[in-house]
Amino acid sequence: MAHPKSSTGYKLGIVNPLTLVGNELKTILRERSFPFAKVVLLDSIGKSGALTEVDDEPAVVAAATAEELEDLDLVFFCGPPAGNRDLMALHRQLDFIAIDLSRPTSAEDGKLTVAGINVDELDPDDLLVSPHPIALPIALILQQLGKLAAIESCIASVVQPASEFGQEAVEELAQQTIAVLNIQPLPQEVFDRQAAFNLYPATQRHEELIVSQVKTLADARTEIALMVAQGTIFHGHTFSLFMRTHEPLEESKIIAALKSNPVFVFPEGDQQFGTVDAAGKDEVLIAEVRAEPSIRGGFWVWAVCDNLRRSSALNAILIAEKALFGAEMAN
């Protein structure tokens, strides 16, 4: 268990707390009754001075500086990576645990860390990197099914939501939806085309980075192909995964293997899962597992996951709990 710098308890920092992921961090800290003495809100993207809240109390966002970081035990870094890199590089000098949620990130100087995969191996002296939110659920699925048999290949089609690009993108998608219905000109400041009622290859995809992260977290021998599409979705990634093993696996065994891990949830009774059902959920929702009769050893997994929560903020907080308290909490 790491000892806090202050006798009053752990002091946490959130860099860029007004981002969607930053707001989700504050929500989960409150929900999990995280034992902190203080949360300091810092800015690296020009929004210092903004008024927000922490644990239902008013709070002001201050500029992120070395002086502000010096007294902190652990800092979550959200938002664009450019403004965070120099600050994260101070984590050893100033003796704070740094958890990077910036996107995209190459993790060249950090350690990709996922609760349920390798969090038990973390070194608090490393820069701890939560992977791209597309990489995390795919890695969890491959890691779990890899216990049954080696996954030779995985072909992934992913539909990403507007919230991957921040609150501005969510608002523009809503405005476009209204504009299309009313036959009005479309706002296109975030998206380069009509995103409402549309589906197209995403312009910002980071597919090579995501594949690299999945290989690092799961079995590097698995051949992985990825296509990311932009869809008319506000929150949550939708995953269609086609996987192949050398010898066919029974569908029931695949389902049982996934059900054995509480991070995965299947529908019960007449329940059905779609992308909207993932919002606010801590788990990866598995809507369907199906063997592919036309390809030996092939099977499909259709899943949805909250990109802001399970794939980002919750993973970072599970990392923080392990780094500070020395034990992985319930995921």
Side-chain angles (χ1 to χ4, degrees):
M1 181 171 179
H3 295 290
K5 294 179 181 178
S6 170
S7 60
T8 61
Y10 294 107
K11 293 183 179 180
L12 312 181
I14 302 177
V15 176
N16 301 320
L18 302 182
T19 60
L20 292 174
V21 173
N23 277 315
E24 197 68 29
L25 281 170
K26 292 188 294 176
T27 297
I28 299 174
L29 286 171
R30 181 177 63 250
E31 291 175 353
R32 293 175 74 85
S33 299
F34 196 102
F36 59 80
K38 184 178 182 180
V39 175
V40 177
L41 305 181
L42 303 172
D43 167 77
S44 70
I45 53 176
K47 293 187 177 180
S48 59
L51 180 65
T52 181
E53 57 80 29
V54 173
D55 211 14
D56 294 328
E57 295 292 333
V60 176
V61 181
T65 64
E67 290 74 19
E68 291 285 354
L69 295 171
E70 190 171 9
D71 294 332
L72 303 180
D73 297 289
L74 183 144
V75 183
F76 301 100
F77 289 88
C78 308
N84 292 341
R85 289 196 180 101
D86 290 344
L87 297 168
M88 288 189 291
L90 298 172
H91 76 280
R92 288 184 177 171
Q93 177 186 337
L94 300 180
D95 190 28
F96 64 84
I97 297 169
I99 301 178
D100 179 19
L101 294 93
S102 302
R103 291 173 283 159
T105 178
S106 65
E108 293 173 354
D109 301 317
K111 171 70 173 178
L112 284 172
T113 308
V114 173
I117 293 182
N118 63 350
V119 73
D120 286 333
E121 305 165 7
L122 70 77
D123 182 344
D125 290 335
D126 288 333
L127 170 61
L128 304 174
V129 178
S130 188
H132 192 286
I134 290 177
L136 190 146
I138 296 176
L140 284 169
I141 291 170
L142 288 178
Q143 191 263 355
Q144 187 67 26
L145 294 181
K147 297 175 182 179
L148 281 179
I151 308 297
E152 294 188 346
S153 62
C154 174
I155 300 172
S157 296
V158 181
V159 180
Q160 74 180 4
S163 56
E164 276 299 288
F165 306 107
Q167 183 62 34
E168 297 84 358
V170 172
E171 292 173 357
E172 182 167 296
L173 178 56
Q175 292 166 2
Q176 283 195 2
T177 301
I178 295 170
V180 170
L181 293 174
N182 292 312
I183 317 177
Q184 296 176 345
L186 298 179
Q188 294 184 24
E189 295 183 10
V190 178
F191 299 105
D192 64 348
R193 68 191 83 179
Q194 178 179 327
F197 306 103
N198 201 4
L199 182 67
Y200 55 88
T203 53
Q204 297 185 44
R205 295 153 70 163
H206 312 300
E207 290 161 342
E208 185 176 346
L209 167 71
I210 295 166
V211 168
S212 173
Q213 290 184 341
V214 173
K215 282 179 167 289
T216 297
L217 292 164
D219 190 338
R221 296 169 296 179
T222 302
E223 295 181 336
I224 300 174
L226 173 65
M227 169 68 80
V228 180
Q230 187 67 49
T232 306
I233 302 169
F234 290 100
H235 300 290
H237 282 115
T238 306
F239 299 85
S240 176
L241 309 178
F242 177 76
M243 288 170 273
R244 185 173 56 83
T245 57
H246 181 68
E247 294 295 332
L249 293 173
E250 293 180 13
E251 191 175 295
S252 60
K253 289 186 176 180
I254 298 170
I255 293 172
L258 292 171
K259 282 186 173 181
S260 69
N261 188 333
V263 77
F264 302 113
V265 172
F266 282 74
E268 297 180 357
D270 295 332
Q271 187 181 27
Q272 295 179 334
F273 285 154
T275 306
V276 296
D277 299 300
K281 297 293 193 304
D282 288 345
E283 300 83 15
V284 179
L285 309 188
I286 307 294
E288 182 174 320
V289 172
R290 179 172 61 84
E292 176 49 66
S294 66
I295 297 178
R296 179 177 171 82
F299 61 94
W300 296 90
V301 174
W302 202 96
V304 291
C305 186
D306 188 321
N307 59 304
L308 302 175
R309 191 175 178 94
R310 170 73 256 180
S311 298
S312 298
L314 178 58
N315 186 58
I317 288 175
L318 292 170
I319 294 169
E321 291 173 347
K322 177 65 176 179
L324 291 178
F325 313 128
E328 185 176 0
M329 307 295 185
N331 59 8

